[in-house]
Coordinates of all heavy atoms in Angstrom, one line a residue:
A1 N -24.0 -62.2 17.1 CA -23.2 -62.6 16.0 C -22.0 -63.5 16.5 O -21.6 -64.5 16.0 CB -22.6 -61.4 15.3
A2 N -21.4 -63.1 17.7 CA -20.3 -63.9 18.3 C -20.8 -65.3 18.7 O -20.1 -66.3 18.4 CB -19.7 -63.1 19.4
L3 N -22.0 -65.4 19.3 CA -22.5 -66.6 19.7 C -22.8 -67.6 18.5 O -22.5 -68.8 18.6 CB -23.7 -66.5 20.6 CG -23.4 -66.0 22.1 CD1 -24.7 -65.8 22.8 CD2 -22.6 -67.0 22.8
E4 N -23.4 -67.0 17.5 CA -23.7 -67.8 16.3 C -22.4 -68.3 15.7 O -22.3 -69.5 15.3 CB -24.4 -67.0 15.3 CG -25.9 -66.7 15.7 CD -26.5 -65.8 14.6 OE1 -25.9 -65.5 13.6 OE2 -27.7 -65.4 14.9
T5 N -21.4 -67.4 15.6 CA -20.1 -67.8 15.0 C -19.4 -68.9 15.9 O -18.9 -69.9 15.4 CB -19.2 -66.6 14.8 OG1 -19.9 -65.7 13.9 CG2 -17.9 -67.0 14.1
L6 N -19.4 -68.7 17.2 CA -18.8 -69.6 18.1 C -19.5 -71.0 18.0 O -18.8 -72.0 18.0 CB -18.9 -69.1 19.5 CG -18.1 -69.8 20.6 CD1 -16.7 -70.0 20.2 CD2 -18.3 -69.1 21.9
A7 N -20.8 -71.0 17.9 CA -21.5 -72.3 17.7 C -21.1 -73.0 16.4 O -20.9 -74.2 16.4 CB -23.0 -72.0 17.7
V8 N -21.0 -72.2 15.3 CA -20.6 -72.8 14.1 C -19.2 -73.5 14.2 O -19.0 -74.6 13.8 CB -20.7 -71.8 12.9 CG1 -20.0 -72.4 11.6 CG2 -22.1 -71.4 12.6
V9 N -18.3 -72.7 14.8 CA -16.9 -73.3 15.0 C -17.0 -74.5 15.9 O -16.3 -75.5 15.6 CB -16.0 -72.2 15.6 CG1 -14.6 -72.8 15.9 CG2 -15.9 -71.0 14.6
A10 N -17.7 -74.4 17.0 CA -17.7 -75.5 17.9 C -18.3 -76.8 17.3 O -17.7 -77.9 17.5 CB -18.6 -75.2 19.1
Y11 N -19.3 -76.7 16.5 CA -19.9 -77.9 15.9 C -19.3 -78.4 14.6 O -19.4 -79.5 14.3 CB -21.4 -77.7 15.7 CG -22.2 -77.8 17.0 CD1 -22.6 -76.7 17.7 CD2 -22.6 -79.1 17.5 CE1 -23.3 -76.8 18.9 CE2 -23.3 -79.2 18.7 CZ -23.7 -78.0 19.4 OH -24.3 -78.2 20.6
R12 N -18.6 -77.5 13.9 CA -18.1 -77.9 12.6 C -16.6 -77.9 12.5 O -16.0 -78.0 11.4 CB -18.6 -76.9 11.6 CG -20.2 -76.8 11.5 CD -20.9 -78.0 10.9 NE -20.7 -78.3 9.6 CZ -21.4 -77.9 8.6 NH1 -22.5 -77.2 8.8 NH2 -21.1 -78.2 7.3
Q13 N -15.9 -77.7 13.6 CA -14.4 -77.6 13.5 C -13.7 -78.8 13.0 O -14.3 -79.9 13.3 CB -13.9 -77.1 14.9 CG -14.1 -78.1 16.0 CD -13.7 -77.5 17.3 OE1 -12.5 -77.0 17.5 NE2 -14.5 -77.5 18.4
P14 N -12.6 -78.7 12.4 CA -12.0 -77.5 12.0 C -12.8 -76.9 10.8 O -13.3 -77.6 9.9 CB -10.6 -77.9 11.5 CG -10.8 -79.3 11.1 CD -11.9 -79.9 12.0
I15 N -12.8 -75.5 10.8 CA -13.6 -74.8 9.8 C -12.9 -73.5 9.4 O -12.3 -72.8 10.3 CB -15.0 -74.6 10.3 CG1 -15.9 -74.0 9.2 CG2 -15.1 -73.7 11.5 CD1 -17.4 -74.1 9.5
A16 N -12.9 -73.2 8.1 CA -12.3 -72.0 7.6 C -13.3 -70.8 7.7 O -14.5 -71.0 7.7 CB -11.8 -72.2 6.2
R17 N -12.7 -69.6 7.7 CA -13.5 -68.4 7.8 C -14.5 -68.3 6.7 O -15.7 -67.9 6.9 CB -12.6 -67.2 7.7 CG -13.3 -65.9 8.0 CD -12.3 -64.8 7.9 NE -11.1 -65.0 8.7 CZ -10.5 -64.1 9.4 NH1 -10.8 -62.9 9.4 NH2 -9.4 -64.4 10.1
G18 N -14.2 -68.7 5.5 CA -15.1 -68.7 4.4 C -16.3 -69.6 4.6 O -17.4 -69.2 4.2
Q19 N -16.0 -70.7 5.1 CA -17.1 -71.7 5.4 C -18.0 -71.1 6.5 O -19.3 -71.3 6.4 CB -16.5 -73.0 5.9 CG -15.7 -73.8 4.8 CD -15.0 -74.9 5.3 OE1 -14.3 -74.8 6.3 NE2 -15.2 -76.1 4.7
I20 N -17.5 -70.5 7.5 CA -18.3 -69.9 8.5 C -19.2 -68.8 7.9 O -20.4 -68.7 8.2 CB -17.4 -69.3 9.6 CG1 -16.6 -70.4 10.3 CG2 -18.3 -68.6 10.7 CD1 -15.5 -69.9 11.2
A21 N -18.6 -67.9 7.1 CA -19.3 -66.8 6.5 C -20.4 -67.4 5.6 O -21.5 -66.9 5.5 CB -18.4 -66.0 5.6
S22 N -20.2 -68.5 4.9 CA -21.1 -69.2 4.0 C -22.3 -69.7 4.8 O -23.5 -69.5 4.5 CB -20.5 -70.3 3.2 OG -21.5 -70.9 2.5
I23 N -22.1 -70.3 6.0 CA -23.1 -70.8 6.8 C -23.9 -69.7 7.4 O -25.2 -69.7 7.4 CB -22.5 -71.7 7.9 CG1 -22.0 -73.0 7.3 CG2 -23.6 -72.0 9.0 CD1 -21.1 -73.8 8.3
R24 N -23.3 -68.7 7.9 CA -24.0 -67.5 8.5 C -24.5 -66.6 7.5 O -25.5 -65.8 7.8 CB -23.0 -66.8 9.5 CG -22.6 -67.6 10.7 CD -22.3 -66.9 11.9 NE -23.3 -65.8 12.2 CZ -23.1 -64.5 12.3 NH1 -21.8 -64.1 12.2 NH2 -24.0 -63.6 12.5
G25 N -24.0 -66.5 6.3 CA -24.5 -65.6 5.3 C -24.1 -64.2 5.5 O -24.7 -63.3 4.9
V26 N -23.1 -63.9 6.3 CA -22.6 -62.6 6.6 C -21.0 -62.6 6.7 O -20.4 -63.7 6.9 CB -23.1 -61.9 7.8 CG1 -24.7 -61.7 7.7 CG2 -22.8 -62.7 9.1
N27 N -20.4 -61.5 6.6 CA -19.0 -61.4 6.8 C -18.7 -61.6 8.3 O -19.3 -61.1 9.2 CB -18.5 -60.0 6.4 CG -17.0 -59.8 6.5 OD1 -16.4 -60.2 7.5 ND2 -16.4 -59.3 5.5
V28 N -17.7 -62.4 8.6 CA -17.4 -62.8 10.0 C -16.0 -62.4 10.4 O -15.5 -62.8 11.5 CB -17.6 -64.4 10.2 CG1 -19.0 -64.8 10.0 CG2 -16.6 -65.2 9.3
D29 N -15.3 -61.6 9.6 CA -14.0 -61.1 9.9 C -13.8 -60.6 11.3 O -13.0 -60.9 12.1 CB -13.4 -60.2 8.9 CG -13.2 -60.8 7.5 OD1 -13.3 -62.1 7.5 OD2 -13.0 -60.1 6.6
T30 N -14.7 -59.6 11.6 CA -14.6 -58.9 12.9 C -14.9 -59.9 14.1 O -14.3 -59.8 15.1 CB -15.6 -57.7 13.0 OG1 -15.2 -56.8 11.9 CG2 -15.5 -56.9 14.3
V31 N -15.9 -60.7 13.9 CA -16.3 -61.6 14.9 C -15.2 -62.6 15.2 O -14.9 -63.0 16.3 CB -17.6 -62.4 14.6 CG1 -18.0 -63.4 15.6 CG2 -18.8 -61.3 14.4
I32 N -14.6 -63.1 14.1 CA -13.5 -64.0 14.3 C -12.3 -63.4 15.1 O -11.8 -64.0 16.0 CB -12.9 -64.5 12.9 CG1 -14.0 -65.4 12.2 CG2 -11.6 -65.2 13.0 CD1 -14.2 -66.7 12.9
R33 N -12.0 -62.1 14.7 CA -10.9 -61.4 15.5 C -11.3 -61.3 17.0 O -10.5 -61.5 17.9 CB -10.7 -60.1 14.9 CG -9.8 -60.1 13.6 CD -9.3 -58.7 13.3 NE -10.4 -57.8 12.9 CZ -10.9 -57.6 11.7 NH1 -10.6 -58.4 10.8 NH2 -11.9 -56.7 11.6
T34 N -12.6 -61.0 17.3 CA -13.0 -60.9 18.6 C -12.9 -62.2 19.4 O -12.4 -62.3 20.5 CB -14.5 -60.4 18.7 OG1 -14.6 -59.1 18.1 CG2 -15.0 -60.3 20.1
L35 N -13.4 -63.3 18.8 CA -13.3 -64.6 19.4 C -11.8 -65.0 19.6 O -11.5 -65.6 20.7 CB -14.1 -65.6 18.6 CG -15.6 -65.4 18.5 CD1 -16.2 -66.4 17.5 CD2 -16.2 -65.6 19.9
L36 N -11.0 -64.7 18.7 CA -9.6 -65.0 18.8 C -9.0 -64.2 20.0 O -8.2 -64.8 20.8 CB -8.8 -64.7 17.6 CG -8.9 -65.7 16.4 CD1 -8.4 -65.0 15.1 CD2 -8.2 -67.0 16.7
S37 N -9.3 -62.9 20.1 CA -8.7 -62.1 21.1 C -9.2 -62.5 22.5 O -8.5 -62.3 23.5 CB -9.0 -60.6 20.8 OG -10.4 -60.3 21.1
R38 N -10.4 -63.1 22.6 CA -10.9 -63.5 23.9 C -10.5 -65.0 24.2 O -10.8 -65.5 25.3 CB -12.5 -63.4 23.9 CG -12.9 -62.0 23.8 CD -14.4 -61.8 23.9 NE -14.7 -60.4 23.9 CZ -15.9 -59.9 23.7 NH1 -16.9 -60.7 23.7 NH2 -16.1 -58.6 23.7
G39 N -9.8 -65.6 23.3 CA -9.2 -66.9 23.6 C -10.2 -68.0 23.5 O -10.0 -69.1 24.0
L40 N -11.4 -67.8 22.8 CA -12.4 -68.8 22.7 C -12.2 -69.7 21.5 O -12.7 -70.9 21.5 CB -13.8 -68.1 22.6 CG -14.2 -67.4 23.9 CD1 -15.5 -66.6 23.7 CD2 -14.3 -68.3 25.1
I41 N -11.5 -69.2 20.5 CA -11.2 -70.0 19.3 C -9.7 -69.8 19.0 O -9.1 -68.8 19.5 CB -12.0 -69.7 18.0 CG1 -11.7 -68.2 17.6 CG2 -13.5 -69.9 18.3 CD1 -12.4 -68.0 16.2
T42 N -9.1 -70.7 18.3 CA -7.7 -70.6 17.9 C -7.5 -71.0 16.5 O -8.4 -71.7 15.9 CB -6.9 -71.5 18.9 OG1 -5.5 -71.2 18.6 CG2 -7.2 -73.0 18.7
E43 N -6.4 -70.6 15.9 CA -6.1 -71.1 14.5 C -5.5 -72.5 14.7 O -4.4 -72.6 15.4 CB -5.1 -70.1 13.9 CG -5.6 -68.8 13.7 CD -4.6 -67.8 13.1 OE1 -3.4 -68.2 12.9 OE2 -5.0 -66.6 12.8
L44 N -6.0 -73.4 14.0 CA -5.6 -74.8 14.1 C -4.5 -75.1 13.1 O -3.5 -75.7 13.4 CB -6.7 -75.8 14.0 CG -7.8 -75.8 15.0 CD1 -9.0 -76.7 14.7 CD2 -7.3 -76.1 16.4
F45 N -4.8 -74.8 11.8 CA -3.8 -75.1 10.8 C -4.2 -74.3 9.5 O -5.3 -73.8 9.5 CB -3.7 -76.6 10.4 CG -5.0 -77.1 10.0 CD1 -5.3 -77.1 8.6 CD2 -5.9 -77.7 10.8 CE1 -6.5 -77.7 8.1 CE2 -7.1 -78.2 10.4 CZ -7.4 -78.3 9.0
T46 N -3.3 -74.2 8.6 CA -3.6 -73.6 7.3 C -3.7 -74.6 6.3 O -2.8 -75.5 6.2 CB -2.4 -72.6 7.0 OG1 -2.4 -71.6 8.0 CG2 -2.7 -71.9 5.6
D47 N -4.8 -74.7 5.5 CA -5.0 -75.6 4.5 C -3.9 -75.5 3.4 O -3.8 -74.4 2.9 CB -6.4 -75.4 3.9 CG -6.8 -76.5 2.9 OD1 -6.1 -76.6 1.8 OD2 -7.7 -77.3 3.2
S48 N -3.2 -76.5 3.1 CA -2.1 -76.4 2.1 C -2.6 -76.1 0.7 O -1.9 -75.6 -0.1 CB -1.3 -77.7 2.1 OG -2.1 -78.8 1.8
E49 N -3.8 -76.6 0.4 CA -4.4 -76.4 -0.9 C -4.9 -74.9 -1.1 O -4.7 -74.3 -2.1 CB -5.6 -77.3 -1.1 CG -5.2 -78.5 -2.1 CD -6.4 -79.4 -2.3 OE1 -7.5 -78.9 -2.7 OE2 -6.3 -80.6 -2.1
T50 N -5.7 -74.5 -0.2 CA -6.4 -73.2 -0.3 C -5.7 -72.1 0.4 O -5.9 -70.9 0.1 CB -7.8 -73.3 0.2 OG1 -7.8 -73.5 1.6 CG2 -8.6 -74.4 -0.5
G51 N -4.8 -72.4 1.4 CA -4.2 -71.3 2.2 C -5.2 -70.8 3.2 O -4.8 -69.8 4.0
A52 N -6.3 -71.4 3.4 CA -7.3 -70.9 4.4 C -6.9 -71.4 5.8 O -6.5 -72.5 6.0 CB -8.7 -71.4 4.0
I53 N -7.1 -70.5 6.7 CA -6.8 -70.8 8.1 C -8.0 -71.5 8.6 O -9.2 -71.1 8.4 CB -6.5 -69.6 9.0 CG1 -5.2 -68.9 8.4 CG2 -6.4 -69.9 10.5 CD1 -5.0 -67.5 9.0
N54 N -7.8 -72.6 9.3 CA -8.9 -73.3 9.9 C -8.9 -73.1 11.4 O -7.9 -73.0 12.1 CB -8.8 -74.8 9.7 CG -9.3 -75.2 8.3 OD1 -10.4 -75.7 8.1 ND2 -8.5 -74.9 7.2
Y55 N -10.1 -72.9 11.9 CA -10.3 -72.6 13.4 C -10.9 -73.7 14.2 O -11.7 -74.5 13.6 CB -11.2 -71.3 13.5 CG -10.5 -70.1 12.8 CD1 -10.9 -69.8 11.5 CD2 -9.7 -69.3 13.5 CE1 -10.3 -68.7 10.8 CE2 -9.1 -68.2 12.8 CZ -9.4 -67.9 11.5 OH -8.8 -66.9 10.9
G56 N -10.7 -73.6 15.5 CA -11.3 -74.6 16.4 C -11.5 -73.9 17.7 O -10.9 -72.8 18.0
T57 N -12.1 -74.6 18.7 CA -12.4 -74.0 20.0 C -11.1 -74.3 20.9 O -10.3 -75.1 20.6 CB -13.6 -74.5 20.6 OG1 -13.5 -76.0 20.6 CG2 -14.9 -74.1 19.9
T58 N -11.1 -73.6 22.0 CA -10.0 -73.7 22.9 C -10.4 -74.3 24.3 O -11.6 -74.5 24.5 CB -9.4 -72.3 23.2 OG1 -10.4 -71.5 23.9 CG2 -8.9 -71.7 22.0
E59 N -9.5 -74.6 25.1 CA -9.8 -75.0 26.5 C -10.6 -73.9 27.2 O -11.5 -74.3 28.0 CB -8.5 -75.3 27.3 CG -7.9 -76.6 26.9 CD -8.7 -77.8 27.1 OE1 -9.3 -77.9 28.2 OE2 -8.8 -78.7 26.3
T60 N -10.3 -72.7 26.9 CA -11.0 -71.6 27.6 C -12.5 -71.6 27.2 O -13.4 -71.4 28.0 CB -10.5 -70.2 27.1 OG1 -9.1 -70.1 27.5 CG2 -11.2 -69.0 27.7
F61 N -12.8 -72.0 25.9 CA -14.2 -72.2 25.5 C -14.9 -73.2 26.4 O -16.0 -73.1 26.9 CB -14.2 -72.6 24.0 CG -15.5 -73.1 23.6 CD1 -16.6 -72.2 23.3 CD2 -15.7 -74.5 23.3 CE1 -17.8 -72.8 22.8 CE2 -16.9 -75.0 22.9 CZ -18.0 -74.1 22.7
L62 N -14.2 -74.4 26.5 CA -14.8 -75.5 27.3 C -15.0 -75.1 28.7 O -16.0 -75.4 29.3 CB -13.8 -76.7 27.2 CG -13.6 -77.4 25.9 CD1 -12.6 -78.5 26.0 CD2 -15.0 -77.9 25.3
E63 N -14.0 -74.4 29.3 CA -14.1 -74.0 30.7 C -15.3 -73.0 30.9 O -16.0 -73.0 31.8 CB -12.8 -73.3 31.2 CG -11.7 -74.3 31.3 CD -10.3 -73.7 31.5 OE1 -10.2 -72.4 31.7 OE2 -9.3 -74.4 31.5
T64 N -15.4 -72.1 29.9 CA -16.4 -71.1 30.0 C -17.8 -71.7 30.0 O -18.7 -71.3 30.7 CB -16.3 -70.0 28.8 OG1 -15.0 -69.4 28.9 CG2 -17.4 -69.0 28.9
L65 N -18.0 -72.7 29.2 CA -19.3 -73.5 29.1 C -19.5 -74.5 30.2 O -20.5 -75.0 30.5 CB -19.4 -74.2 27.8 CG -19.6 -73.4 26.5 CD1 -19.8 -74.3 25.3 CD2 -20.9 -72.6 26.7
G66 N -18.3 -74.8 31.0 CA -18.4 -75.7 32.1 C -18.5 -77.2 31.6 O -19.2 -78.0 32.2
I67 N -17.8 -77.5 30.4 CA -17.9 -78.8 30.0 C -16.4 -79.3 29.8 O -15.5 -78.5 29.8 CB -18.6 -79.0 28.6 CG1 -18.0 -78.1 27.5 CG2 -20.1 -78.6 28.8 CD1 -18.6 -78.2 26.2
N68 N -16.3 -80.6 29.7 CA -14.9 -81.2 29.7 C -14.4 -81.4 28.3 O -13.2 -81.3 28.0 CB -14.9 -82.5 30.5 CG -15.1 -82.3 31.9 OD1 -14.6 -81.3 32.5 ND2 -15.9 -83.1 32.6
T69 N -15.3 -81.8 27.4 CA -14.9 -82.1 26.0 C -16.0 -81.6 25.1 O -17.2 -81.4 25.5 CB -14.8 -83.7 25.8 OG1 -16.0 -84.3 25.9 CG2 -13.8 -84.3 26.8
L70 N -15.7 -81.6 23.8 CA -16.8 -81.2 22.8 C -17.9 -82.2 22.7 O -19.0 -81.9 22.3 CB -16.1 -81.1 21.4 CG -15.1 -79.9 21.3 CD1 -14.4 -79.9 20.0 CD2 -15.9 -78.6 21.5
D71 N -17.6 -83.5 23.1 CA -18.7 -84.5 23.2 C -19.8 -84.1 24.2 O -20.9 -84.7 24.1 CB -18.1 -85.8 23.5 CG -17.1 -86.4 22.5 OD1 -17.3 -86.0 21.3 OD2 -16.2 -87.1 22.8
D72 N -19.5 -83.2 25.1 CA -20.5 -82.8 26.1 C -21.4 -81.7 25.5 O -22.4 -81.4 26.2 CB -19.8 -82.3 27.3 CG -19.0 -83.3 28.1 OD1 -19.4 -84.6 27.9 OD2 -18.1 -83.0 28.8
L73 N -21.1 -81.2 24.3 CA -22.1 -80.2 23.7 C -23.4 -80.9 23.4 O -23.4 -82.1 23.1 CB -21.5 -79.7 22.4 CG -20.3 -78.8 22.5 CD1 -19.8 -78.5 21.1 CD2 -20.7 -77.4 23.1
P74 N -24.5 -80.2 23.6 CA -25.8 -80.8 23.3 C -25.9 -81.1 21.8 O -25.4 -80.4 21.0 CB -26.7 -79.7 23.8 CG -26.0 -78.5 23.8 CD -24.6 -78.8 24.1
L75 N -26.7 -82.2 21.5 CA -27.0 -82.5 20.1 C -27.8 -81.4 19.5 O -28.8 -81.0 20.1 CB -27.6 -83.8 20.0 CG -26.8 -85.1 20.5 CD1 -27.7 -86.3 20.4 CD2 -25.6 -85.2 19.6
I76 N -27.5 -81.0 18.3 CA -28.3 -80.0 17.6 C -29.2 -80.7 16.5 O -30.1 -80.1 16.0 CB -27.5 -78.9 17.0 CG1 -26.5 -79.4 16.0 CG2 -26.8 -78.1 18.1 CD1 -25.8 -78.4 15.2
S77 N -28.9 -81.9 16.2 CA -29.6 -82.6 15.1 C -31.1 -82.6 15.4 O -31.9 -82.5 14.4 CB -29.1 -84.0 14.9 OG -29.1 -84.8 16.1
P78 N -31.7 -82.7 16.6 CA -33.1 -82.7 16.7 C -33.7 -81.4 16.3 O -34.9 -81.3 15.9 CB -33.4 -82.9 18.2 CG -32.1 -83.5 18.8 CD -31.0 -83.0 17.9
Y79 N -33.0 -80.3 16.3 CA -33.4 -79.0 15.9 C -33.2 -78.6 14.5 O -33.7 -77.6 14.0 CB -32.8 -77.9 16.8 CG -33.0 -78.2 18.3 CD1 -32.0 -78.7 19.0 CD2 -34.3 -78.1 18.9 CE1 -32.2 -79.0 20.4 CE2 -34.5 -78.4 20.2 CZ -33.4 -78.9 21.0 OH -33.6 -79.2 22.3
L80 N -32.3 -79.4 13.8 CA -32.0 -79.1 12.4 C -32.1 -80.4 11.6 O -31.2 -81.1 11.4 CB -30.5 -78.6 12.3 CG -30.2 -77.4 13.1 CD1 -28.7 -77.1 13.1 CD2 -30.9 -76.2 12.4
P81 N -33.3 -80.6 11.1 CA -33.5 -81.8 10.3 C -32.6 -82.0 9.1 O -32.3 -81.0 8.4 CB -35.0 -81.7 9.8 CG -35.6 -80.7 10.7 CD -34.5 -79.8 11.2
G82 N -32.0 -83.2 9.0 CA -31.1 -83.4 7.9 C -29.7 -83.1 8.2 O -28.8 -83.3 7.4
I83 N -29.4 -82.5 9.4 CA -28.0 -82.1 9.7 C -27.0 -83.3 9.7 O -25.9 -83.1 9.3 CB -27.9 -81.2 11.0 CG1 -26.5 -80.6 11.1 CG2 -28.2 -82.1 12.2 CD1 -26.3 -79.5 10.2
N84 N -27.5 -84.4 10.2 CA -26.6 -85.6 10.3 C -26.2 -86.0 8.9 O -25.0 -86.3 8.7 CB -27.3 -86.7 11.1 CG -27.3 -86.4 12.6 OD1 -26.5 -85.6 13.1 ND2 -28.3 -87.0 13.2
E85 N -27.1 -86.0 8.0 CA -26.8 -86.4 6.6 C -25.8 -85.4 6.0 O -24.9 -85.9 5.3 CB -28.1 -86.5 5.8 CG -29.0 -87.6 6.2 CD -29.9 -87.3 7.4 OE1 -30.1 -86.1 7.7 OE2 -30.5 -88.2 8.0
D86 N -26.0 -84.1 6.2 CA -25.2 -83.1 5.7 C -23.7 -83.3 6.2 O -22.7 -83.2 5.5 CB -25.6 -81.7 6.0 CG -26.9 -81.4 5.3 OD1 -27.3 -82.1 4.4 OD2 -27.5 -80.4 5.7
L87 N -23.6 -83.5 7.5 CA -22.3 -83.7 8.1 C -21.6 -85.0 7.7 O -20.4 -85.0 7.4 CB -22.4 -83.7 9.6 CG -22.8 -82.4 10.3 CD1 -23.1 -82.5 11.8 CD2 -21.8 -81.3 10.0
D88 N -22.4 -86.1 7.5 CA -21.9 -87.3 7.0 C -21.4 -87.2 5.6 O -20.3 -87.7 5.3 CB -22.9 -88.5 7.1 CG -23.3 -88.9 8.5 OD1 -22.5 -88.6 9.4 OD2 -24.3 -89.5 8.7
A89 N -22.1 -86.5 4.8 CA -21.6 -86.3 3.4 C -20.3 -85.5 3.4 O -19.4 -85.8 2.6 CB -22.7 -85.6 2.6
E90 N -20.3 -84.5 4.2 CA -19.0 -83.6 4.2 C -17.9 -84.5 4.7 O -16.7 -84.4 4.2 CB -19.2 -82.4 5.1 CG -20.1 -81.4 4.5 CD -20.2 -80.1 5.5 OE1 -19.4 -80.0 6.4 OE2 -21.1 -79.3 5.2
N91 N -18.1 -85.3 5.8 CA -17.0 -86.0 6.3 C -16.5 -87.1 5.3 O -15.3 -87.4 5.2 CB -17.4 -86.7 7.6 CG -17.5 -85.7 8.8 OD1 -16.9 -84.6 8.7 ND2 -18.4 -86.0 9.7
S92 N -17.4 -87.7 4.6 CA -17.0 -88.7 3.6 C -16.3 -88.1 2.4 O -15.6 -88.8 1.7 CB -18.2 -89.6 3.2 OG -19.1 -88.7 2.5
A93 N -16.6 -86.8 2.2 CA -15.9 -86.1 1.1 C -14.5 -85.6 1.5 O -13.8 -85.0 0.7 CB -16.8 -84.9 0.6
G94 N -14.1 -85.8 2.7 CA -12.8 -85.5 3.1 C -12.6 -84.1 3.7 O -11.6 -83.5 3.8
R95 N -13.8 -83.5 4.1 CA -13.7 -82.2 4.7 C -13.5 -82.2 6.2 O -13.8 -83.1 6.9 CB -15.0 -81.4 4.4 CG -15.2 -81.1 3.0 CD -16.3 -80.2 2.8 NE -16.6 -80.1 1.4 CZ -17.6 -79.6 0.8 NH1 -18.5 -79.1 1.6 NH2 -17.8 -79.5 -0.4

């Protein structure tokens, strides 16, 4: 559960808890607390419209994976057909 949640945050950041739960289809409250306590994710900002806290990965996350930047993450699009179109649509909608 932690790895799945961490992957969602890494690839979709900044992302709110509700969005993570929607993607995973389960409650992520406990997992978020665990990832925060381990220093792998952090609270980036609170959305002024919704009041939702948005999360992102930390330097500790990068160091743990042995990468320098998020750009070094492997592409997931070959494994998830249509993911690029979904992400482009979200980005153009201002998410």
